[in-house]
Amino acid sequence: MASTAQAATGGENDCKKHPGARILHGPHKTIGGVEAWMVWGLCTVFVVWLFSIQTGYAVVSPEIQKTASLTVAQIGLAGSIYTWAFALCQFFSGALLDRFGSRPLLAIAVAFVTAGAFLYAQTDSMATLIAAQIVLAIGSSFGFVGAGYIGGQWFPAARYGLMFGLVQSLASLGSAFGQPAISWQLQHVTWQQLLNGFGAGGVVLIVLFVLLVRNPSTGPAQLAQTTARPSRPPLVSSILRDLGTCFRNRNVVLSAALAGVSFGSMLAMGVLWGPRIMEARGAGTSLAAVLTAMSWLGLAVGAPLFNLLSDHWNNRRIPAVVGVLLQAAAVSLLIYLPKETNSVSVVTMFCVGLFAGAHMLGFTVAGESVPGRILPDSPPLGDYGGALLMMPILLVLGALAGFFIKDTAKARVDA
């Protein structure tokens, strides 16, 4: 007790001696107040910005393919490398935020994405593209998780799911409008200039994060915990131990399988293969971008919707399973519908994103399951049927895993 009081007193004295310390490092004023919304809003802007870069890959990848003399398989491989690097970094990003807080980690994450955008703009070979994807993945792994972390730190626990859903919804809306906007901009500027513009926006975000984002401090207990930090176990060993604990929990593994294939398939369609399928149906590049944007518009609706339905029905498992099964049906229709049904594709793409909102009930990042290497350089529509067959299969398997999840909704309500 004495050491706790001393830590608290010492912290207060430091703020009195150095008023600037309170501005940059002092405690937040009100949970869910104006300051909380400001920090959360800035982190959400970060997510929207990086999502725009990610989904912009769907629009600029044909241009990159031409400039760097790459094949469709190489473009698909680069996208897969990004996703696997993202998934690997995700193991550490959450743990780092838990240990060190949002300051300065989120500013560093923005710097990585900014560097990746500038490197992206210099792509003239497969090696440069892969390097850009890895740098982008390192920074992006802190984006969605960071916004969720901020929501949990600065808002009441009961609103955590809703705040997380809002982040996904806003990011999806940004992607829905961003893809057509990027396609339009490419008619006036080069893809290199466009990506350099994203990088310039990142520089502004870095400054704002350094000035405004800090770790919330709730009082003496947290200060005492800070003084005890040297006694914590090494980071890597603690992460491995925590992962072991997670993998021993059946619900964690099954929900990860369900949510992973759902969000992974959404990324595959919304970031890379959606526009290619639309172009194979005869749509122009601009129209293909607009049609693909419908999937992100659907996700913007589905992300908070499935949370609300789950709360309304007091059930987590059934909405998640039904959503993923419907997503599998929508993806299958998109791949296997006849070429002459472009008008139906608009609704189908929207449904792909809408039902992908089910992944918010068990969010986890999953690798992209896209076998780009079996496609020819200029694949007709029929070739996508065999190449992307794995996607609806994985969605059905993910939904089957969901049937074995022990529902936790009633336990949460009673708590």
Side-chain angles (χ1 to χ4, degrees), residues 271-284:
V271 173
L272 181 61
W273 297 114
R276 298 304 178 99
I277 292 175
M278 295 304 175
E279 289 172 2
R281 291 186 183 279

Side-chain angles (χ1 to χ4, degrees), residues 235-273:
L235 179 64
V236 175
S237 62
S238 65
I239 291 175
L240 294 176
R241 182 195 61 205
D242 292 342
L243 285 175
T245 302
C246 289
F247 288 134
R248 287 193 295 271
N249 186 315
R250 184 187 71 175
N251 260 19
V252 171
V253 175
L254 293 174
S255 62
L258 181 145
V261 295
S262 177
F263 192 56
S265 297
M266 174 63 211
L267 286 176
M269 298 305 296
V271 173
L272 181 61
W273 297 114

Side-chain angles (χ1 to χ4, degrees), residues 89-110:
C89 293
Q90 198 82 80
F91 286 128
F92 296 89
S93 59
L96 288 170
L97 285 167
D98 285 338
R99 175 165 294 202
F100 301 112
S102 54
R103 178 185 176 88
L105 285 179
L106 290 182
I108 295 173
V110 177

Side-chain angles (χ1 to χ4, degrees), residues 51-139:
F51 257 59
S52 297
I53 297 176
Q54 290 175 345
T55 56
Y57 187 70
V59 181
V60 302
S61 60
E63 302 295 328
I64 295 176
Q65 181 180 339
K66 294 176 185 176
T67 303
S69 300
L70 302 177
T71 65
V72 173
Q74 287 175 312
I75 291 293
L77 176 61
S80 297
I81 289 174
Y82 169 88
T83 307
W84 283 106
F86 182 95
L88 179 62
C89 293
Q90 198 82 80
F91 286 128
F92 296 89
S93 59
L96 288 170
L97 285 167
D98 285 338
R99 175 165 294 202
F100 301 112
S102 54
R103 178 185 176 88
L105 285 179
L106 290 182
I108 295 173
V110 177
F112 265 94
V113 179
T114 301
F118 282 126
L119 186 59
Y120 208 172
Q122 308 304 314
T123 299
D124 58 2
S125 66
M126 184 64 175
T128 309
L129 180 58
I130 290 175
Q133 296 282 44
I134 293 175
V135 174
L136 279 169
I138 293 172

Side-chain angles (χ1 to χ4, degrees), residues 277-278 281 291-292 294-295 330 333-335 337-352 381:
I277 292 175
M278 295 304 175
R281 291 186 183 279
L291 292 175
T292 307
M294 292 299 297
S295 64
L333 285 174
L334 190 68
I335 296 173
L337 277 175
K339 187 174 181 179
E340 293 74 21
T341 54
N342 282 331
S343 58
V344 181
S345 298
V346 177
V347 178
T348 307
M349 284 298 289
F350 180 85
C351 290
V352 168
L381 178 61

